Amino acid sequence: MSAPLRLYVNIDHVATVRQARRADEPDPVRVAVLAELGGADGITVHLREDRRHIQDRDVRLLLDTVRTGVNLELAADEEMLRLAEDWRPMQVTFVPERRQEVTTEGGLDLEETGRRLLAAVAQMRAQGVRTALFVDAREDLMRASAALGADAVELHTGEYANARTPEGSSAQLGRLRAAALAAREAGLAVHAGHGLTYENVARVAAIPEIEELNIGHAIISRSVFVGIERAAREMKAIIMAARHA
Ligand code: PXP
């Protein structure tokens, strides 16, 4: 049996355009309303330590206005945990964060940061916040994520998205399938994201264990041409068709 599949639209890049001018438009809060009208099942934002795109004000207003749910991506550091405890979003996804990176480059290193994540997951749980860990598609990491008490893993789909040959792409898809199954067996909900596009998403959406996709760059890019509502609707149609094929 397939789990139902949710589309979470990551709207960080709307804030990236705004911050390019340090102006007040385009406003990601207004974009979130239209993404929801286009069929988004939730809104994702990454509040980075350097505040390069999403600002604290955006998160506060989104929490007040989003009618689906807010998935807040965070590094598990003291400042972010304090904010998340205060805000109590529907879901927190812990991600690794490095200042110099253009975007999140790899999954969490559970060996190096396991103790911090164990405490962070417990802290969020105590507030009734659902937790996900962004991890590479390796079966051992699924068991480790379950041991840290997380509700879900978000499988890093970047290597699948970056594969340049059909063989490479199929090999990466195989890793995602195996990891999704291992996560389910470990009692975790399975999410996925990073680098997914209108062209490559269908094969990931067809993995029956996956119940949530987080997609940003491709949807915001298309929205420049067709508007965010239509861009969200077109992505939702592709993933639903893939799931029901
Ligand atoms: N999931 C996580 C954990 C991310 O950090 C990102 C990028 O912000 C995404 C999903 C979305 O990736 P993309 O913008 O390539 O769709």
Side-chain angles (χ1 to χ4, degrees), residues 35-52:
E36 286 185 310
L37 288 175
D41 300 294
I43 301 296
T44 297
V45 286
H46 183 177
L47 185 68
R48 296 186 76 104
E49 182 208 12
D50 63 9
R51 307 298 198 274
R52 70 171 70 154

Side-chain angles (χ1 to χ4, degrees), residues 58-80:
D58 302 330
V59 182
R60 281 195 297 269
L61 288 178
L62 286 166
L63 288 169
D64 258 1
T65 54
V66 163
R67 297 187 64 87
T68 49
V70 173
N71 171 39
L72 185 58
E73 291 180 4
L74 294 175
D77 67 25
E78 217 176 292
E79 182 201 10
M80 292 301 158

Side-chain angles (χ1 to χ4, degrees), residues 134-151:
F134 183 55
V135 287
D136 292 330
R138 272 176 30 207
E139 293 175 53
D140 60 314
L141 296 179
M142 306 305 124
R143 292 182 285 276
S145 298
L148 293 175
D151 297 293

Side-chain angles (χ1 to χ4, degrees), residues 10 12-13 46 73 93 95 103-104 134 154 192-196 214-218:
N10 180 317
D12 291 349
H13 282 352
H46 183 177
E73 291 180 4
T93 300
V95 297
T103 181
T104 314
F134 183 55
E154 181 178 336
H194 212 283
L196 295 176
N214 275 287
I215 308 180
H217 187 86

Side-chain angles (χ1 to χ4, degrees), residues 150-169:
D151 297 293
V153 280
E154 181 178 336
L155 301 179
H156 192 327
T157 50
E159 287 185 74
Y160 162 74
N162 290 333
R164 286 288 160 259
T165 61
E167 298 75 31
S169 168

